[in-house]
Amino acid sequence: MTRAHEHGAAAQPEGTAPDAATTAARAAAHSRRAFLFKLSLALNGAVGAVLAVPILGYVLGPALKKNASYNAWVSLGPIADFPEGETRLVDYRNPVTMASDGETGNAACWVRHIEGRKFQVFAINCAHLGCPVRWFPQSKLFLCPCHGGAYYEDGARASGPPERGLFEYQYTVAGNHLLIEAGSLPTLATEACAKKKPLIQIAPQDAAADDANPARSS
Amino acid sequence: MDNPNQRKRHALKVFEWFDSRLGLARPLTEAAQHPTPERSASWWYVFGSAATVLLVLQVITGILLALVYTPSAGEAWSSLQFLNHDVTLGWFLRAMHGWGSDFMIAIVLIHLVQVFLFGAYKFPRELTWIIGVFLLLLTLGMAFTGQVLRFDQDAYWGLGIGASIVSRFPLIGGPLVGLMLGGPIIGGPTLARFFALHVFVIPGILLVLVGLHVWMVLRLGINEWPMPGRIVSKASYAHEYHEETAKNGIPFVPDAAWKDAVFAAAILLSVMACALLLGPIGPTGQPDPTIIQTAPKPDFAFLWIYAVLAYLPPSLETPFIFIAPIVVIGGMLLLPLVAGEGEKHWSRRPVAVLMLAVIAVTLGTFTRLGTYTPWSPIMEAWSADTIPTRYLQDRSPLEREGALVLQNKQCRNCHALGGAGGMRGPALDNIAARMTEDQMIRQVLQGGGNMPAYGNALNPAETRALVSFLMTLRGKNLQPAVDSSRQLTTGSPEPLPAEQGGAATR
Ligand code: FES
């Protein structure tokens, strides 16, 4: 009965309030309900804000993790595998993989053995947009199949759309093995190693090889 | 029971039982029969409904494919092979989904062009257009994510290109790459992300926005046929449109809708025909990053972007990648707000028509270039394409040695000879008519103008042989290029006009 009564009252046009006391009571009740409704909105807003923390943390997790934290030293094999003066393609397994990665967890790099313990290890990913570059020993060039970027044997930019030379991995020779620090997809943001290279490499071979040799090299 | 009248009454009762609870019969009938301006019941107005029908087809075929497809980086590729070869009619479903997506992009674009030319985005349909722009972007988003789910070599390197583009974003490039890939490399989490986008996120938004889009078409009415001289003004349009439909309106169902239905059927048949005759799209090679013998290429709809990225000068590239989309999308979104009134007829909107023509020709040209990628070196040309024998006849041993150098040093990967080889650099058939010996030596050793320097890769003997071979390449009856400055200094009696770009033909 009360429900029907209320509905009937609500339908009545304003200004024809029948009873001052009930109108005042209803108005008071209304403002209380309106307040409670606003309060419930605020409550849900607060719950939503709390809920957003784990959701955002989950979604942004991969973005917030430092790329270097994925890196680890990976062995590319004994140095005897790399004849001096040659540049060879080497496959390795990325240090961080998941069961679902399958063959995408594999990786490849170009190893250039300059002489003795001096190496250069290049990412296969073009510094332009990441396509796999190919080495041509006859013309001593790396060529990119996508937009025709070309690099010299020391990785320096030769021509085409790339703005800079090939990405280089940090390497070290431990015992008789060549190790590189790898772990994340080389791009302009991550580079292949922590050390930044100047856009144009002026004295590429000696300088690069020397300071790429950390204390771990024996 | 055997009385048909009685059966009819039963059916009506059942219908009423439902409709007294649902209450949908009246609004749906009203929506279906809403008055349409008579001239708008045209074959030009069938593209929107066809796009919706294609969307439904994509949803159905997509769900069916999801019954078999495995969204795991290690297994996706083989599950596609399984679909292609082992599941009964799996190849046909894949083909329908793939060709359906191409058709959907094409129809959505045609729909957009038609709406633009007919001025249908003007008042009061601005928001319908704006939502339509988002629908176009979402359709392209579906195409891109779908191409990733076809987890093959092209998908893998396409993701690499995507990550490289994102990595150029100032300051937050690195975190954005992580967000896109879901980890440090392209792998399991990456595919899972794109699966979620392709299957849940984008279709969800797409369906909601299509609902709004159609709702607004019903609410605001189908655009009237534009007439030159009939000006849209916010003050009078609603009244005029109402008068027009009241006078000349026909019910959408059935008077106008039969054309939509016929066209939709034709489109569905075309998708089926393409699927049947051309088969499923891919997958190409396995997504193994250690297989580098590949020339990745995006799907047809994105070829123009591929071409633009190849032609941009390096210094402009990063700003262009981030500013151009904002300008283009922003322009499309603002269009109805800026040009919401005025003429609707294309003959009175020359700037609009010209703009459309320029955009269409540009996109078409870049797409065409993307189909044969003249900027890409042909990696096998040096060992696969032989030198035409006519270039070797009556040549000295040194010149023939030079031809060998040309092959061995991969010159052919970028330079065509006799129509075979790369197109990255100019064809060499007439090179001696364009360059003097000195210029050639300089160009080969020092490079420049998009050519690498070969100073380190050629010894003096090889250079001499190469250039002496190149000097024999000057086509028929063309004079060799001449250095006029040398003639001046050596006091030649009859100096030739200087030429670098063209042949001196006397
Ligand atoms: S990705 Fe190598 S040149 Fe563009």
Side-chain angles (χ1 to χ4, degrees):
Chain A
M1 183 243 139
T2 45
R3 271 183 86 93
H5 178 72
E6 264 182 30
H7 280 200
Q12 261 177 16
E14 270 175 55
T16 56
D19 187 327
T22 49
T23 310
R26 216 174 287 131
H30 164 79
S31 67
R32 190 173 59 97
R33 284 185 209 117
F35 170 74
L36 283 176
F37 179 66
K38 279 181 198 152
L39 199 66
S40 73
L41 282 187
L43 179 70
N44 275 283
V47 172
V50 175
L51 193 61
V53 173
I55 289 178
L56 282 181
Y58 176 84
V59 171
L60 296 180
L64 298 178
K65 202 158 167 189
K66 277 254 178 301
N67 272 304
S69 65
Y70 293 111
N71 284 3
W73 289 94
V74 188
S75 170
L76 298 182
I79 357 183
D81 287 358
F82 310 107
E84 256 179 44
E86 282 192 23
T87 299
R88 292 196 165 178
L89 185 69
V90 185
D91 298 350
Y92 62 93
R93 184 82 183 160
N94 208 59
V96 205
T97 49
M98 303 171 54
S100 68
D101 282 342
E103 54 206 351
T104 57
N106 299 335
C109 59
W110 289 107
V111 176
R112 173 187 183 216
H113 191 169
I114 303 169
E115 54 171 29
R117 292 179 164 256
K118 277 193 196 160
F119 287 85
Q120 273 187 301
V121 185
F122 303 112
I124 57 168
N125 310 81
C126 182
H128 177 224
L129 292 177
C131 289
V133 295
R134 262 184 261 179
W135 166 245
F136 289 93
Q138 298 84 356
S139 50
K140 299 191 180 157
L141 287 175
F142 293 96
L143 291 182
C144 176
C146 279
H147 314 103
Y151 306 86
Y152 294 118
E153 59 180 334
D154 62 357
R157 172 188 186 271
S159 71
E163 274 181 275
R164 47 158 288 161
L166 286 173
F167 304 120
E168 267 187 65
Y169 292 99
Q170 269 200 30
Y171 74 92
T172 181
V173 179
N176 270 331
H177 277 67
L178 178 66
L179 298 146
I180 59 166
E181 196 183 359
S184 41
L185 182 76
T187 59
L188 281 174
T190 54
E191 315 240 336
C193 60
K195 172 175 57 82
K196 294 269 191 297
K197 284 205 146 260
L199 280 186
I200 297 146
Q201 295 146 328
I202 299 155
Q205 302 170 10
D206 299 27
D210 283 343
D211 57 24
N213 264 327
R216 283 183 61 164
S217 78
S218 50
Chain B
M1 270 294 107
D2 29 27
N3 185 351
N5 262 343
Q6 215 173 341
R7 236 179 288 162
K8 221 180 198 172
R9 229 176 300 131
H10 271 291
L12 205 66
K13 249 192 192 158
V14 173
F15 171 79
E16 268 164 9
W17 187 90
F18 275 102
D19 196 53
S20 61
R21 284 154 183 83
L22 282 170
L24 281 176
R26 230 174 73 122
L28 284 184
T29 321
E30 270 170 17
Q33 294 178 343
H34 75 277
T36 305
E38 196 177 356
R39 284 198 69 188
S40 294
S42 142
W43 288 106
W44 282 104
Y45 281 64
V46 295
F47 301 111
S49 61
T52 319
V53 170
L54 282 171
L55 175 64
V56 174
L57 174 76
Q58 292 303 91
V59 170
I60 294 171
T61 50
I63 292 173
L64 292 175
L65 290 178
L67 299 181
V68 177
Y69 181 76
T70 317
S72 144
E75 286 155 62
W77 190 81
S78 34
S79 76
L80 291 174
Q81 297 293 354
F82 187 69
L83 263 166
N84 271 1
H85 301 295
D86 299 303
V87 177
T88 312
L89 287 174
W91 66 272
F92 187 69
L93 261 295
R94 278 205 66 231
M96 286 281 287
H97 198 66
W99 289 104
S101 115
D102 281 353
F103 268 83
M104 187 160 159
I105 294 175
I107 293 285
V108 166
L109 283 178
I110 296 173
H111 180 48
L112 175 116
V113 168
Q114 185 266 323
V115 163
F116 180 73
L117 279 182
F118 282 54
Y121 59 84
K122 290 181 190 260
F123 178 85
R125 300 183 181 82
E126 301 99 324
L127 191 58
T128 323
W129 165 274
I130 290 172
I131 290 186
V133 171
F134 284 111
L135 287 174
L136 170 70
L137 296 177
L138 289 168
T139 306
L140 291 176
M142 286 303 280
F144 183 77
T145 51
Q147 176 190 316
V148 170
L149 295 200
R150 195 204 313 128
F151 205 57
D152 54 12
Q153 264 179 338
D154 284 355
Y156 181 89
W157 294 108
L159 282 170
I161 291 177
S164 301
I165 290 179
V166 168
S167 78
R168 289 166 173 242
F169 208 90
L171 297 175
I172 51 166
L176 281 183
V177 173
L179 194 64
M180 172 185 163
L181 300 183
I185 56 169
I186 300 168
T190 318
L191 182 58
R193 274 170 187 242
F194 280 85
F195 183 76
L197 282 175
H198 188 78
V199 172
F200 303 114
V201 182
I202 304 181
I205 305 174
L206 196 60
L207 289 175
V208 169
L209 290 190
V210 165
L212 283 179
H213 197 72
V214 173
W215 162 249
M216 277 188 288
V217 170
L218 290 174
R219 207 177 109 76
L220 303 170
I222 289 174
N223 187 39
E224 78 282 1
W225 190 267
M227 306 277 240
R230 200 200 247 171
I231 311 278
V232 176
S233 101
K234 288 183 187 171
S236 59
Y237 180 82
H239 176 68
E240 284 166 16
Y241 182 82
H242 198 76
E243 243 177 25
E244 154 116 19
T245 47
K247 206 166 66 186
N248 295 325
I250 53 173
F252 176 70
V253 177
D255 292 22
W258 69 271
K259 282 180 182 160
D260 293 80
V262 169
F263 186 71
I267 286 291
L268 286 182
L269 275 178
S270 314
V271 175
M272 278 191 260
C274 279
L276 202 62
L277 298 175
L278 302 167
I281 303 166
T284 63
Q286 281 153 279
D288 184 338
T290 62
I291 304 172
I292 61 168
Q293 282 72 20
T294 170
K297 223 178 184 189
D299 279 359
F300 187 77
F302 304 105
L303 279 179
W304 64 276
I305 302 181
Y306 183 57
V308 168
L309 291 179
Y311 280 121
L312 277 176
S315 55
L316 278 183
E317 198 161 340
T318 302
F320 183 88
I321 289 175
F322 295 112
I323 295 171
I326 297 177
V327 172
V328 171
I329 297 170
M332 288 175 78
L333 291 177
L334 287 178
L335 170 77
L337 305 178
V338 174
E341 291 184 303
E343 285 280 357
K344 271 187 174 176
H345 196 266
W346 52 88
S347 70
R348 298 283 175 94
R349 291 161 55 220
V351 177
V353 175
L354 191 71
M355 238 167 60
L356 189 73
V358 169
I359 294 171
V361 168
T362 312
L363 285 183
T365 311
F366 278 121
T367 303
R368 174 86 189 87
L369 285 168
T371 55
Y372 67 98
T373 61
W375 55 82
S376 296
I378 299 191
M379 299 295 207
E380 298 80 26
W382 68 289
S383 49
D385 295 333
T386 54
I387 292 188
T389 38
R390 64 177 186 280
Y391 291 148
L392 299 173
Q393 274 156 3
D394 308 321
R395 297 288 182 254
S396 71
L398 181 69
E399 287 160 354
R400 288 189 182 170
E401 180 63 31
L404 260 179
V405 173
L406 180 98
Q407 289 295 102
N408 265 335
K409 298 294 178 182
Q410 282 95 24
C411 305
R412 289 292 287 285
N413 288 15
C414 293
H415 295 285
L417 209 52
M423 286 183 276
R424 174 107 187 122
L428 296 179
D429 301 80
N430 295 321
I431 187 67
R434 281 183 280 124
M435 289 174 104
T436 65
E437 189 172 4
D438 288 352
Q439 286 172 329
M440 278 186 212
I441 294 174
R442 196 209 62 81
Q443 181 66 31
V444 167
L445 295 185
Q446 298 181 11
N450 246 339
M451 177 167 161
Y454 281 76
N456 281 334
L458 290 170
N459 61 37
E462 286 169 331
T463 312
R464 241 195 96 212
L466 175 65
V467 172
S468 73
F469 172 67
L470 291 177
M471 285 301 289
T472 67
L473 298 174
R474 49 189 167 85
K476 285 201 188 85
N477 306 323
L478 290 180
Q479 289 285 335
V482 185
D483 183 349
S484 55
S485 67
R486 175 172 294 182
Q487 280 168 344
L488 277 179
T489 49
T490 53
S492 166
E494 194 194 54
L496 291 166
E499 26 49 62
Q500 243 180 307
T505 43
R506 290 194 302 157

